[in-house]
Amino acid sequence: MRKISHFIDGKIYTNSKLETSPVFNPATGEQIAEVELADTETTKLAINSSVKAQVTWSKTTPIARSRILSKYKDLLIKNHENLAKAVSQEHGKTIPDAKGSVQRGIEVVEFAIGIPELLKGDHSANVGTNVDSFNMRQPIGVCAGITPFNFPAMVPMWMYPVAIACGNTFVLKPSEKDPTCPIMLAELAIEAGFPKGVLNVVNGNKVSVDALLEDQNVKAISFVGSSPVAEYIYHTGTKNNKRVQALGGAKNHMIVMPDADIAKTTDAIIGSAFGSAGERCMAISVAVCVGKETSEKLKENLLKETAKLKVGPYTDENSDYGPLNTKAHYEKVLNYISIGEKEGAKLIMDGRKIKLQGYENGYFLGPCIFDDVKPNMAIYKEEIFGPVLSIVNVEKYNEALKLVDDHELGNGAAIFTKSGNIAKHFTENAQAGMVGVNVPIPVPVAYHSFGGWKKSLYGDHAMHGPEGVRFYTKLKTATITWVEDNAGPEFTLPVLS
Ligand code: NAD
């Protein structure tokens, strides 16, 4: 059985005494590897390696760091295909989807290459007579990242390229469900020329997360995952005096106005609700139809077009989306479908009947659509994280907006309309961190910042872009005067008349 261990101090670190956890191919249900779970001591080895590396790395000039990042970007591009394959094999998503996610990560590296410019401070001359003031942003030290299963390459790359560019060192604790790709990312970092210890990877579960949360050498924690764990990470990390950004779950609404182009809206819903089996934090999981006619037209088109989707393994290039990631998660999603039926929502498309020859043990679920979902139902309130769309029907735009605003999760929200007035009102007022107008998955590009509101983000900073640089640096402001100049009479300043 292939074993996946850790990457500590510039090389693979393995310890046969550590507990292991199975890694599956979700398309077949077969175990394909086992991953070592770091204990506290192993996690400390990684932290100590990063502490040591921090001393020189923080003093390495931003332009030198940028040059290594540039080589890293080239290596990521060269290995794009291999990285995507590693993602698909353990996550289950299609190759084009996996490639797209790796590309998003590479774009954060491209952003981080601009670090000399990004770290430039403000300077004010003569804040007093002969007194100047300027600020600088300095590294915070060892940072840690804890990441979810759904984007094993992209989400880690939201974090460590920016952290490292800012002069910090980093310990990554990826998801134990698909741990191969993060190790590959660390190996490429060494090949690019990052000194050992600048990026360490420990695989593990709560034990290693708690070791990171408790260790006083770790100064900042970036987390992406479910909201209950995000809340735990935020409270424990801040209690231990760390800076914490903890991104949680999502229930992203798309409001469909009566003037929306139904064909384009249908395409957008299909891609965003069912793509990657709905295992995206920016997936649309609720469509809010404004008006009876909108609802009828949309449902008719949606049922017709969704029926054309092909669910299958990543090895079949005709697959539109793959299996859910684990058996436990598959069962959880199935359970939500039963709950929805019991709650009285109408299951107008039932993907549970899907059977794939040769993949009978895979965690495949066809698209499911619930109509007449009400805000008090569990399938509306809770994140399902599968290919399950809820349709809520309302009469007015204001009711639709209220649904977005009242939901406890506020990652993304979108509206489909041709009205400029409605679009502007929605953009300004919707209570969500990322909003889209006629864009179903409004994911900010690398040089903007990614993050939700409400229980979708605990902490003050979103990830990557300018917010990422702020999170991974401490602000220092210097106030300087040179009134006592002892350099000698030849350096005396001319008296200005
Ligand atoms: P998860 O919360 O179960 O796990 C995330 C990470 O936390 C993993 O590394 C895991 O090992 C660790 N972890 C799990 N339980 C823990 C505990 N009790 N204590 C300490 N650490 C723990 O999330 P997941 O199932 O891997 O990922 C799916 C979730 O991530 C969904 O809720 C999804 O919305 C969310 N997500 C959010 C964003 C975002 O940007 N907001 C992006 C991607 C995924």
Side-chain angles (χ1 to χ4, degrees):
M1 183 66 63
R2 183 167 68 94
K3 195 171 203 178
I4 304 152
S5 33
H6 319 279
F7 194 87
I8 300 178
D9 216 33
K11 54 188 180 304
I12 297 287
Y13 172 88
T14 179
N15 178 350
S16 58
K17 294 199 187 95
L18 292 174
E19 261 184 60
T20 60
S21 174
V23 177
F24 295 96
N25 172 355
T28 59
E30 277 166 353
Q31 184 179 348
I32 51 172
E34 60 179 3
V35 58
E36 271 182 13
L37 302 175
D39 56 9
T40 304
E41 271 166 34
T42 308
T43 310
K44 277 193 184 303
L45 281 180
I47 297 170
N48 291 342
S49 156
S50 285
V51 169
K52 230 164 98 195
Q54 172 68 17
V55 179
T56 21
W57 185 245
S58 61
K59 299 291 177 212
T60 306
T61 59
I63 192 75
R65 290 184 226 137
S66 165
R67 287 186 188 123
I68 305 177
L69 277 160
S70 184
K71 280 194 200 141
Y72 188 49
K73 181 204 71 178
D74 292 344
L75 284 172
L76 291 169
I77 292 171
K78 203 169 136 201
N79 288 277
H80 198 154
E81 201 81 37
N82 287 344
L83 292 164
K85 201 168 161 208
V87 170
S88 292
Q89 236 162 12
E90 293 175 2
H91 175 276
K93 64 179 80 183
T94 64
I95 291 282
D97 203 9
K99 278 181 84 170
S101 71
V102 173
Q103 176 59 27
R104 282 275 176 176
I106 293 173
E107 286 167 16
V108 179
V109 177
E110 283 173 334
F111 165 73
I113 289 169
I115 199 66
E117 178 68 22
L118 294 166
L119 288 180
K120 266 172 149 179
D122 300 318
H123 186 117
S124 297
N126 297 322
V127 294
T129 308
N130 280 334
V131 183
D132 291 353
S133 185
F134 67 94
N135 60 36
M136 56 189 125
R137 302 212 68 103
Q138 297 190 320
I140 39 182
V142 177
C143 303
I146 300 149
T147 55
F149 77 81
N150 64 327
F151 285 111
M154 182 184 82
V155 171
M157 284 199 274
W158 282 353
M159 303 171 178
Y160 71 81
V162 183
I164 287 171
C166 291
N168 305 290
T169 53
F170 201 89
V171 180
L172 172 66
K173 203 304 282 171
S175 170
E176 62 276 36
K177 315 270 171 50
D178 38 19
T180 293
C181 194
I183 297 281
M184 291 165 76
L185 293 172
E187 285 172 331
L188 292 175
I190 287 291
E191 201 180 326
F194 286 105
K196 63 183 186 180
V198 169
L199 175 62
N200 288 301
V201 180
V202 284
N203 278 306
N205 53 19
K206 183 168 166 36
V207 175
S208 47
V209 171
D210 285 342
L212 290 167
L213 288 171
E214 299 296 331
D215 198 300
Q216 291 308 310
N217 284 310
V218 176
K219 303 296 178 195
I221 302 267
S222 299
F223 171 86
V224 176
S226 57
S227 287
V229 184
E231 189 169 358
Y232 167 74
I233 301 278
Y234 180 74
H235 290 308
T236 316
T238 49
K239 192 184 81 201
N240 287 326
N241 301 319
K242 299 181 199 313
R243 193 177 280 197
V244 181
Q245 51 177 186
L247 277 59
K251 195 81 181 176
N252 305 316
H253 292 51
M254 181 203 282
I255 300 178
V256 185
M257 293 299 291
D259 64 346
D261 179 314
I262 288 296
K264 285 189 184 146
T265 308
T266 304
D267 275 359
I269 293 181
I270 290 176
S272 57
F274 306 123
S276 201
E279 288 175 332
R280 287 186 188 133
C281 62
M282 287 299 275
I284 290 293
S285 45
V286 181
V288 187
C289 297
V290 178
K292 200 163 183 311
E293 209 185 319
T294 314
S295 176
E296 294 308 320
K297 278 198 295 195
L298 182 75
K299 277 184 289 198
E300 190 191 333
N301 218 32
L302 199 53
L303 289 174
K304 191 173 81 198
E305 297 301 322
T306 306
K308 296 178 190 164
L309 282 181
K310 190 167 181 309
V311 184
Y314 79 90
T315 43
D316 179 352
E317 59 183 30
N318 294 317
S319 300
D320 290 306
Y321 73 83
L324 288 155
N325 179 246
T326 59
K327 189 156 193 266
H329 186 54
Y330 173 65
E331 281 164 0
K332 183 176 156 192
V333 176
L334 288 182
N335 188 41
Y336 269 116
I337 298 168
S338 310
I339 292 175
E341 285 179 305
K342 281 187 207 125
E343 286 178 316
K346 283 188 214 142
L347 189 59
I348 58 172
M349 180 167 275
D350 186 352
R352 291 174 296 186
K353 293 169 195 151
I354 188 171
K355 282 278 169 285
L356 290 177
Q357 211 185 347
Y359 295 93
E360 289 79 5
N361 295 324
Y363 317 133
F364 293 98
L365 178 62
C368 298
I369 304 177
F370 276 112
D371 188 21
D372 272 341
V373 174
K374 306 285 178 233
N376 61 348
M377 294 179 179
I379 58 161
Y380 174 81
K381 290 194 283 195
E382 293 165 26
E383 181 184 41
I384 300 176
F385 219 51
V388 184
L389 176 74
S390 291
I391 296 179
V392 183
N393 299 301
V394 298
E395 287 303 317
K396 298 261 171 350
Y397 163 70
N398 283 351
E399 290 168 66
L401 184 64
K402 189 166 175 347
L403 285 171
V404 173
D405 295 352
D406 288 351
H407 204 284
E408 66 173 16
L409 297 169
N411 215 37
I415 192 160
F416 274 58
T417 181
K418 295 191 187 99
S419 157
N421 279 342
I422 291 283
K424 183 168 164 56
H425 187 273
F426 176 79
T427 311
E428 284 184 9
N429 293 287
Q431 299 296 302
M434 296 168 281
V435 294
V437 174
N438 299 317
V439 172
I441 304 188
V443 173
V445 291
Y447 44 96
H448 283 263
S449 301
F450 184 109
W453 285 6
K454 298 183 274 187
K455 289 192 172 179
S456 294
L457 194 160
Y458 295 82
D460 305 314
H461 293 90
M463 283 188 188
H464 63 70
E467 287 276 286
V469 175
R470 280 180 210 121
F471 181 76
Y472 290 122
T473 52
K474 286 181 292 195
L475 177 72
K476 182 180 277 180
T477 307
T479 307
I480 298 181
T481 183
W482 303 103
V483 283
E484 300 292 336
D485 194 332
N486 297 323
E490 64 273 29
F491 289 102
T492 306
L493 294 173
V495 179
L496 299 176
S497 53

